[in-house]
Amino acid sequence: MATSVQQQLHPYYPKTLELPGFAEATMTQSFILATFGSFSVILVFAVWAFAGTFGRVSKLDKSLMCWFAFCGFTHIVLEGYFAFDANFYTYSVPNFLAEVWKEYSKADSRYVGRDSAVVCVEGLTAVLVGPGCLLAVYAIGAKTTYRHTLQLVISVAQLYGDLVYFITVILDGEEISSPEPVYFWFYFIFMNGIWIVMPLCIGIHSWLAISKAFESKKKKK
Amino acid sequence: MATSVQQQLHPYYPKTLELPGFAEATMTQSFILATFGSFSVILVFAVWAFAGTFGRVSKLDKSLMCWFAFCGFTHIVLEGYFAFDANFYTYSVPNFLAEVWKEYSKADSRYVGRDSAVVCVEGLTAVLVGPGCLLAVYAIGAKTTYRHTLQLVISVAQLYGDLVYFITVILDGEEISSPEPVYFWFYFIFMNGIWIVMPLCIGIHSWLAISKAFESKKKKK
């Protein structure tokens, strides 16, 4: 009987997951998604507008600056918060960042469960990749000689982290997602899939740009 | 009583780790280290000798070719074997690769315990990084325009994998290594530390080389 009461205390899967001190969500799913979405849109518009201050920047480069600004914000603020606050699921006082992860954990209970692979990847992303992304915004705008190198390094790190994220789920073979399709397909597959597709495209783009630079150097000789 | 008998069945830590079907080592530590060491030395000499067939190759580049050949061999053969044979610790018929991992597991029992983060990192290393290393041997020798790009991608992937490897141990906080210093300090810290130091050096080397190529391209304009 005690177990069955325990099992009702949180909305995560597997239902046997023990989360002492779990406090229910204080914000709705639509509020969380709308706030995150609005902030991201405002950030992207601001970077697009501000990109011009560096001088002439192509539309592709402006888009890349927006992407890296969005990544930097997500990695440092959102993922950084998760990596360094293990007790987020126990807060009953409204706290937007804690609510984001209470909500996301419905798609992947390894977040509330503090799975070491997830915490490790999120920590590396927040501490190393996030600041790298902010530097990339500057590096692209200022047309530095290291912009493609940095883009490539960030993309490989994002791709590696995301592969670890997906592969460990398959290897563990445990149920981690709530049965509603929005959690598995939108949160887990789509939201994380973005960080497979985008780094692949940007990585290839920078790979080709670097090869071109070496070709040009060869010809010069 | 049954538990205490169970605890005597394998040489790994924690002693409570259950390994049904565990078969004792068929090869000694010195035989395993000598074989691995000799093979690595022969490989390095062979690549050094063979590097000349590409034309003039600097000593630094020859050393890098040797390093990537050694990495390719280690990643594909040794780590690939581990990633795809979960039952290595149950074999009683002599099998060198199984013996390597029975031995190494004394330094990190997550190998026999099939920890998902370790299997994931080893799998990615074997399937993606290993073939990349062999390509790098060619790319350096043949002076392709993508050699530094490839070196950088490999180095970031090796570094990321090794960071996941070390950080998850700290996060899990479990005893995984036998108390003898050789296991913790030589196998666990030194052998893995190589893949922190070398990728860092090679990554910086390639980063600088790429920046130089872009500077030369800028000046050309």
Side-chain angles (χ1 to χ4, degrees):
Chain A
M1 193 63 192
T3 314
S4 126
V5 170
Q6 177 75 17
Q7 283 181 6
Q8 302 304 318
L9 282 175
H10 64 69
Y12 309 115
Y13 287 77
K15 280 290 157 206
T16 48
L17 187 67
E18 281 181 31
L19 293 175
F22 170 74
E24 273 185 41
T26 61
M27 295 173 191
T28 63
Q29 181 187 42
S30 23
F31 177 77
I32 293 167
L33 291 181
T35 307
F36 176 65
S38 309
F39 191 91
S40 305
V41 169
I42 292 169
L43 182 75
V44 163
F45 271 101
V47 174
W48 188 275
F50 149 94
T53 61
F54 281 109
R56 262 190 71 192
V57 178
S58 72
K59 276 185 185 159
L60 175 65
D61 282 355
K62 272 192 188 176
S63 313
L64 286 172
M65 287 169 79
C66 292
W67 162 252
F68 282 113
F70 168 70
C71 284
F73 151 67
T74 309
H75 293 344
I76 296 173
V77 181
L78 257 71
E79 295 172 82
Y81 171 78
F82 164 74
F84 296 101
D85 192 347
N87 300 316
F88 71 88
Y89 64 85
T90 62
Y91 301 152
S92 50
V93 177
N95 168 335
F96 183 72
L97 294 174
E99 293 302 310
V100 166
W101 294 110
K102 278 189 201 170
E103 173 67 15
Y104 184 77
S105 295
K106 292 178 190 164
D108 186 348
S109 65
R110 296 181 300 170
Y111 279 77
V112 275
R114 214 81 199 146
D115 175 87
S116 61
V118 166
V119 174
C120 172
V121 167
E122 291 292 18
L124 286 172
T125 304
V127 173
L128 298 178
V129 186
C133 289
L134 297 188
L135 181 60
V137 177
Y138 164 78
I140 297 167
K143 298 179 183 58
T144 63
T145 51
Y146 62 82
R147 68 159 278 196
H148 283 295
T149 330
L150 182 60
Q151 283 181 200
L152 189 69
V153 168
I154 292 170
S155 299
V156 173
Q158 288 176 327
L159 204 54
Y160 200 109
D162 217 1
L163 285 174
V164 171
Y165 180 76
F166 280 126
I167 294 171
T168 46
V169 170
I170 299 167
L171 289 172
D172 283 332
E174 275 174 26
E175 180 194 28
I176 53 159
S177 202
S178 301
E180 294 86 347
V182 65
Y183 296 119
F184 182 74
W185 291 106
F186 179 65
Y187 288 13
F188 185 72
I189 297 292
F190 177 75
M191 288 301 287
N192 291 294
I194 293 174
W195 275 276
I196 295 282
V197 176
M198 289 296 290
L200 260 182
C201 295
I202 295 173
I204 292 170
H205 166 71
S206 289
W207 178 292
L208 296 175
I210 297 170
S211 290
K212 239 181 164 174
F214 276 104
E215 261 163 42
S216 140
K217 198 185 161 194
K218 253 189 179 172
K219 279 181 197 159
K220 204 182 164 188
K221 282 180 180 170
Chain B
M1 193 61 194
T3 314
S4 125
V5 170
Q6 176 76 17
Q7 283 179 9
Q8 303 303 319
L9 281 176
H10 64 69
Y12 309 115
Y13 288 78
K15 281 289 157 206
T16 47
L17 186 68
E18 281 182 30
L19 293 175
F22 170 75
E24 272 184 42
T26 62
M27 296 173 191
T28 64
Q29 181 186 44
S30 24
F31 176 78
I32 292 168
L33 291 181
T35 307
F36 176 65
S38 311
F39 191 90
S40 304
V41 169
I42 292 168
L43 182 74
V44 162
F45 272 101
V47 174
W48 187 277
F50 150 93
T53 59
F54 281 110
R56 261 189 74 189
V57 178
S58 72
K59 278 186 183 159
L60 175 65
D61 282 356
K62 272 191 189 175
S63 312
L64 286 171
M65 288 168 79
C66 292
W67 162 254
F68 283 112
F70 167 72
C71 284
F73 151 66
T74 309
H75 293 344
I76 296 172
V77 181
L78 256 71
E79 296 171 81
Y81 172 78
F82 163 75
F84 296 100
D85 192 348
N87 300 316
F88 70 89
Y89 64 84
T90 63
Y91 301 151
S92 50
V93 176
N95 168 335
F96 182 73
L97 294 174
E99 293 302 310
V100 166
W101 294 111
K102 278 188 200 172
E103 174 66 16
Y104 184 77
S105 294
K106 292 178 190 163
D108 187 347
S109 64
R110 296 181 300 170
Y111 280 76
V112 273
R114 214 81 199 145
D115 175 89
S116 61
V118 167
V119 175
C120 171
V121 167
E122 291 293 17
L124 286 171
T125 304
V127 173
L128 298 178
V129 186
C133 289
L134 298 187
L135 181 60
V137 177
Y138 164 78
I140 298 168
K143 298 178 182 61
T144 63
T145 51
Y146 62 83
R147 69 158 276 195
H148 283 294
T149 330
L150 183 60
Q151 283 182 200
L152 189 70
V153 168
I154 292 170
S155 298
V156 174
Q158 287 176 328
L159 204 55
Y160 200 109
D162 217 0
L163 285 174
V164 170
Y165 180 76
F166 280 127
I167 293 172
T168 47
V169 170
I170 300 168
L171 289 173
D172 283 331
E174 274 174 25
E175 180 193 28
I176 54 161
S177 200
S178 299
E180 294 87 348
V182 65
Y183 296 119
F184 182 74
W185 291 106
F186 179 65
Y187 288 11
F188 185 71
I189 298 291
F190 176 75
M191 290 300 287
N192 292 294
I194 294 174
W195 275 276
I196 295 281
V197 176
M198 289 297 290
L200 260 182
C201 296
I202 295 173
I204 293 170
H205 167 71
S206 289
W207 178 292
L208 296 176
I210 295 170
S211 289
K212 239 180 162 174
F214 277 104
E215 261 163 43
S216 138
K217 197 186 161 194
K218 253 188 180 173
K219 279 180 196 159
K220 204 182 163 188
K221 283 182 180 169

